Amino acid sequence: MTAVVCEGVRKEFREGSLLKRKRPRICAISGVTFQVKKGEIFGIIGPNGSGKSTLIRILATLLIPDQGRVEVFGIDVVRKPLQVRRMINRVSVDAAFFKGLSPWENLRYAARLYGLNPKEAKERSLEILKRLGFPEARFYDPIEDLSRGQQQKIAITRALLTKPVLLLLDEPTTGLDPKSKLELQGFIKTIRSEHDVTIIITSHDMSEVEMVCDRVAIIDQGRILALGSPRELIANYGMGNLEEVFLHLAGKEFYA
Ligand SMILES: Nc1ncnc2c1ncn2[C@@H]1O[C@H](COP(=O)(O)OP(=O)(O)OP(=O)(O)O)[C@@H](O)[C@H]1O
Ligand SMILES: [Mg+2]
């Protein structure tokens, strides 16, 4: 079964201040075509500004593509965004919180929005946070006092409260220490096997992508340059690992 279909997707933005009369267009993604199978962990890698977050935001119904077709489990993201939103959840590097409130207050708020039972939401949150190595003692401290990695773990917990069938992870491990990174990578695999969820993940950590993803799309300047399992890509390009394939295709000078 196909979880995600992207066909000929294009998205342009206008550059510069809204006050300027002439604002050149920037093409963030163009001619992007791929499919993700149900239950797959699908990686998107590419240099800064290559269009990864734009693609994730289109799938999350936060941006409307200029061209092309995007479907999540057969539902069109442009025509039926509300139906799509019920199936997905997204974690981005810049997750929004009520910073003065505690993790639990933020999660309780999310649970209420989603119509979940607060007691069950709390149990589930604590269980997820424990597996992510979040110190339970900080569950009631203001979010603004927590480290970036700790905040990231709360964002991940919030995304999992609703048990989405499609989970969109935009750089979920950026800012995490090596131990927390490993815990989260393991956890991503576990939720896939335990909860029957399809996952799309972006990352700048090539070893992570190699370890976690079933298939990977390498994009540069809004276009897919290669797509396949990490093993296929490494073999096809005769490289030693995914990082070498990435640098070979996307060019060293672009990757900061
Ligand atoms: N709202 C916006 N307005 C104007 N340009 C935008 C907007 N969002 C993204 N862009 C541009 O679109 C291009 C793709 O950006 P995008 O955020 O998708 O890249 P990315 O691959 O996620 O990069 P990174 O690795 O740095 O997160 C960039 O040139 C960016 O400047
Ligand atoms: Mg991004």
Side-chain angles (χ1 to χ4, degrees), residues 26-208:
I26 333 171
C27 184
I29 53 172
S30 174
V32 168
T33 298
F34 64 91
Q35 298 201 351
V36 180
K37 285 177 237 140
K38 182 172 181 281
E40 216 175 2
I41 302 183
F42 187 86
I44 303 173
I45 55 177
N48 291 129
S50 56
K52 303 179 295 297
S53 298
T54 303
L55 200 50
I56 295 277
R57 290 168 66 81
I58 289 173
L59 285 165
T61 75
L62 300 170
L63 284 175
I64 295 174
D66 299 323
Q67 268 178 28
R69 183 167 67 102
V70 182
E71 286 178 5
V72 173
F73 289 98
I75 315 274
D76 190 284
V77 297
V78 178
R79 270 180 272 159
K80 295 186 175 155
L82 291 179
Q83 250 175 281
V84 171
R85 269 176 229 164
R86 270 183 230 125
M87 295 190 279
I88 57 166
N89 229 325
R90 182 181 71 113
V91 177
S92 65
V93 257
D94 50 358
F97 289 113
F98 298 108
K99 296 269 180 174
L101 301 182
S102 69
W104 168 231
E105 284 163 332
N106 273 276
L107 290 166
R108 192 175 54 192
Y109 178 81
R112 189 176 286 177
L113 277 186
Y114 297 143
L116 305 174
N117 172 314
K119 189 165 167 278
E120 278 172 27
K122 188 169 186 180
E123 280 167 13
R124 187 163 160 76
S125 301
L126 286 171
E127 183 199 313
I128 297 168
L129 285 169
K130 193 170 178 185
R131 291 171 74 166
L132 291 174
F134 180 89
E136 199 180 326
R138 316 286 324 251
F139 198 51
Y140 305 100
D141 291 349
I143 290 246
E144 62 199 0
D145 293 348
L146 301 180
S147 76
R148 206 165 114 64
Q150 287 169 338
Q151 293 187 24
Q152 189 67 349
K153 290 176 184 182
I154 305 298
I156 288 155
T157 305
R158 183 171 60 186
L160 290 171
L161 277 182
T162 51
K163 303 190 179 162
V165 288
L166 175 65
L167 188 58
L168 303 168
L169 302 173
D170 195 358
E171 297 189 35
T173 60
T174 295
L176 296 187
D177 65 67
K179 181 168 171 280
S180 300
K181 242 185 186 190
L182 279 177
E183 280 164 354
L184 180 55
Q185 289 159 358
F187 189 59
I188 289 171
K189 285 188 163 179
T190 311
I191 49 173
R192 185 261 295 269
S193 53
E194 284 179 7
H195 297 291
D196 201 19
V197 60
T198 305
I199 299 172
I200 300 186
I201 177 171
T202 78
S203 176
H204 287 290
D205 180 336
M206 298 299 133
S207 57
E208 165 174 297

Side-chain angles (χ1 to χ4, degrees), residues 206 210 237-250:
M206 298 299 133
E210 210 174 312
Y237 290 93
M239 299 284 167
N241 56 43
L242 196 59
E243 180 153 353
E244 287 174 17
V245 178
F246 179 86
L247 291 174
H248 170 73
L249 288 173

